[in-house]
Structure formats: structure tokens, C-alpha cells
Amino acid sequence: MESVRELASEKAAVIFTKSSCCICHSVKSLFYELGASPAIHELDRYANGRDMEWALRQLGCNPALPAVFIGGKYVGSSKDIISYHVDGSLKQMLKDAKAIWF
């Protein structure tokens, strides 16, 4: 679980995904459209990916993927991120964490 915590705080924005997940792809695309360059960790490409997914669940990520961290804090999964984007708070979270500058 420590490695997941470390990875979650390695950049201002971090997204844990699976390469075959279309919802994960949509969340990643949204961050790129907003000008962020998040660290992306595709768990199906890690030998211990299942353990990492379990660790995310232990941290309260439900569903486990996509799991989005901004400023080292878990902010939610896809439905949360879309809600934050619609109400305008996602961009402010990214600014506050210095993931974007504008």
C-alpha cells in the first residue's frame, strides 16, 4: 500500500487506470484537454497490478479504477471527476495543486 501512496503523490495529478478501460481513457483525455499532464499508472502493465488495485480499494477508492489523486489526495473516480468538471471545481483543484497554471 505504501508504493501506491508514494505513486499517488509523485506529481500534482495522478491517475491509476487499466489500459483497456474506456472510462479511464475518457478521464485521462479530460485531464489532457484541461492542460494537465498527469502521471498515469496502468495497473494491467504492472506485475503487481492486482495488489495495487487492492491497495487502492483499501484506501477507499471504490470503484478502484480510475482512481484520481490531485495534490496527493484521492478526489474520486470517473463520476466524481465528471461532476467536478461540470461544476467547474476540477479546473480549480488542478490550479491549486499546480497541475495547470491557467
Side-chain angles (χ1 to χ4, degrees):
M1 187 160 8
E2 275 309 307
S3 67
V4 169
R5 284 191 185 138
E6 289 172 15
L7 291 173
S9 60
E10 74 179 332
K11 283 187 80 174
V14 178
I15 306 172
F16 291 91
T17 71
K18 283 190 177 176
S19 61
S20 59
C21 173
C22 62
I23 298 297
C24 297
H25 176 75
S26 298
V27 170
K28 291 187 293 187
S29 295
L30 173 60
F31 273 65
Y32 293 136
E33 282 182 32
L34 291 172
S37 181
I40 304 293
H41 298 286
E42 293 181 335
L43 300 188
D44 54 336
R45 303 204 187 271
Y46 285 83
N48 63 339
R50 287 186 189 259
D51 294 334
M52 292 172 74
E53 189 171 348
W54 178 252
L56 287 166
R57 288 187 194 278
Q58 295 299 313
L59 290 173
C61 306
N62 189 19
L65 301 174
V68 178
F69 291 79
I70 297 175
K73 294 187 298 189
Y74 175 65
V75 294
S77 191
S78 56
K79 73 175 187 168
D80 304 305
I81 298 306
I82 298 304
S83 294
Y84 295 142
H85 178 58
V86 169
D87 74 14
S89 60
L90 178 60
K91 192 167 189 176
Q92 189 59 50
M93 283 188 235
L94 292 170
K95 284 180 185 177
D96 292 346
K98 300 193 179 0
I100 59 175
W101 313 133
F102 50 92

